[in-house]
Amino acid sequence: MSKVRYWQKDIETIGRRALEELQLKRLRSSFGRLYRHVPSFREKCRAAGVSPAAINSLRDIAHIPFTTSDDLRAGYPAGLLAVDRNRAIRLHTSSGTTGKPKAIFFSKRDIAQAAELVARCLTMTGTGSGDVLQNMMTYGLFTGALMMHYGAEKVGALVIPAGPGNTERQIALMQDFGTTAVHILPSYALYLATFMQQHGMDPKKDLSLKRAYMGAEPYSEKTRLKIEKLFGIDVYNCYGLTEMNGPGVAFECLEKNGLHLWEDNFIVEIVDPVTGQQLPEGAEGELVLTSLCREAMPVMRYRTRDITRILAGKCPCGRTHRRISRILGRSDDMIIVRGVNIFPQQIEQVLMGIRGVAQNYQIVLESLDELTIRVEIARDMFDGNIEHLLSLKSEIVEKIRSAVLVKPIVELLEPGTLPVTEGKAKRVIDKRTI
Ligand code: DLL
């Protein structure tokens, strides 16, 4: 029997033409509502010379002005609402790295729709009734935990709303209730494995886990493989952002080869991060998303800052929604050392593929021409033989140099030395003053 399961088969396998007709209808409706109800958006459109009457094909989306984080921040706390505030039943905020947060409102229908999308994602990867999903994301203003929670309940899984941290209790819950799936930050999954090993447990043998859903921060393919191996599970990449409902905007299927982006709910564009020009299909660039089903707060052409590309070809799973590659990094996370552009994830990809490297690392920038990498090393590398450490260190230096073209300074540390955060990991410590 085929392992492929659908939550909403008709929509998940919809033909391209029908999908595009649906997208156009929804685009016109969302754009029209936003134009009518949000004066600041209307003014921007007028300045750009575009009105709802000008949207006659999907290509016309290119005339609509972008929405940036700053636009959403400027609207705080009122939010760029396209409905009466009384229709909103939930508020989430997204803070990003600087300044004021963004207020994102959800109507009853928006919450239901977000749960539908997560239900699709979970069904696609085999989670349903009989599964126990331990949700280790933060419950609160962050969408990560709540939206996954609703979707997991919808497919009939038993949800444990554990939240993050308190690792001993997490393990006890997993063991007592036979947790089969976790929703977890990649950085926390790595820490969880370290913690178990340090306490004489084997993450592979001492849990009944089958799969993990990991997202909310960039991580490399090597990190996925490492976590899969440590726990003996399948790891599925989950992408989303508060402005577009939270988790479940794009998700990997059983093929684990790119993330299906739910195109009946979002229009996907890839643009040049500097010029904003649309790029041809397959080119790497900034992901721009337009919501098609959000009722309280539709968002047009949102500049996500996330770098990815659209993958070519059909997916063997039968879903027709196009796939994006894993997020390479954020355009604002890119670091420049000695004039070379580097995404932290390129360094992570190298580290996680080296035997002897443990689960945590940090990139420290002290000057414009120095790249320091502090990396935790597996306990068995500290075997009293200095030669082993020196050769590991030069392996790391060489492999990073060949991947990013800058020779790093590498510091080897014992496991558990580097700080672990409950939320998204802070991998880069930038001490430079300019
Ligand atoms: O992180 C929503 C989410 C929660 C997604 C749980 C997946 C799982 P925000 O806090 O608004 O929302 O942050 C959104 O996080 O623009 C990306 O930069 C990053 N991000 C999210 N998922 C991934 C992923 C949630 N799978 C921002 N890979 C996004 C890489 C990710 N980066």
Side-chain angles (χ1 to χ4, degrees), residues 171-297:
I171 297 164
L173 286 168
M174 285 198 276
Q175 292 178 330
D176 293 346
F177 297 98
T179 298
T180 56
V182 288
H183 183 212
I184 187 168
L185 285 169
S187 48
Y188 189 52
L190 289 168
Y191 175 74
L192 183 61
T194 309
F195 184 94
M196 289 189 76
Q197 287 165 341
Q198 282 177 337
H199 290 76
M201 289 178 267
D202 180 347
K204 206 195 265 178
K205 297 202 183 108
D206 297 326
L207 301 172
S208 353
L209 266 191
K210 293 184 185 151
R211 60 194 82 92
Y213 298 111
M214 295 197 332
E217 59 187 18
Y219 59 106
S220 64
E221 186 60 27
K222 283 268 162 46
T223 300
R224 180 231 295 273
L225 295 174
K226 182 160 188 157
I227 294 171
E228 289 192 327
K229 207 162 150 213
L230 282 164
F231 288 91
I233 57 171
D234 287 302
V235 168
Y236 298 100
N237 196 351
C238 164
Y239 170 79
L241 57 162
T242 317
E243 295 81 348
M244 300 284 153
N245 299 348
V249 171
F251 217 88
E252 281 178 334
C253 63
L254 295 176
E255 299 293 323
K256 294 189 212 163
N257 181 16
L259 296 85
H260 289 281
L261 196 138
W262 299 123
E263 292 187 83
D264 59 323
N265 274 249
F266 307 99
I267 291 180
V268 51
E269 295 171 78
I270 303 289
V271 306
D272 181 313
V274 179
T275 65
Q277 287 302 311
Q278 278 184 349
L279 295 174
E281 188 154 327
E284 196 174 281
E286 180 181 341
L287 178 69
V288 170
L289 291 173
T290 295
S291 77
L292 296 175
C293 299
R294 286 181 54 79
E295 183 180 46
M297 240 181 103

Side-chain angles (χ1 to χ4, degrees), residues 377-392:
I377 296 302
R379 197 161 296 286
D380 58 11
M381 291 303 297
F382 295 95
D383 57 2
N385 187 338
I386 193 79
E387 288 301 318
H388 291 164
L389 288 178
L390 288 176
S391 99
L392 177 63

Side-chain angles (χ1 to χ4, degrees), residues 93-96 102 137 142-145 148 183-186 213-219 237-243 245-251 259 302 304-306 326-330 332-333 345 424:
T93 66
S94 171
S95 47
K102 296 164 258 177
M137 293 276 178
F142 176 51
T143 49
M148 175 59 75
H183 183 212
I184 187 168
L185 285 169
Y213 298 111
M214 295 197 332
E217 59 187 18
Y219 59 106
N237 196 351
C238 164
Y239 170 79
L241 57 162
T242 317
E243 295 81 348
N245 299 348
V249 171
F251 217 88
L259 296 85
Y302 186 62
T304 65
R305 301 271 162 216
D306 294 320
R326 106 180 11 262
I327 305 293
L328 182 65
R330 289 180 57 80
D332 40 13
D333 271 357
Q345 215 193 131
K424 304 186 187 208

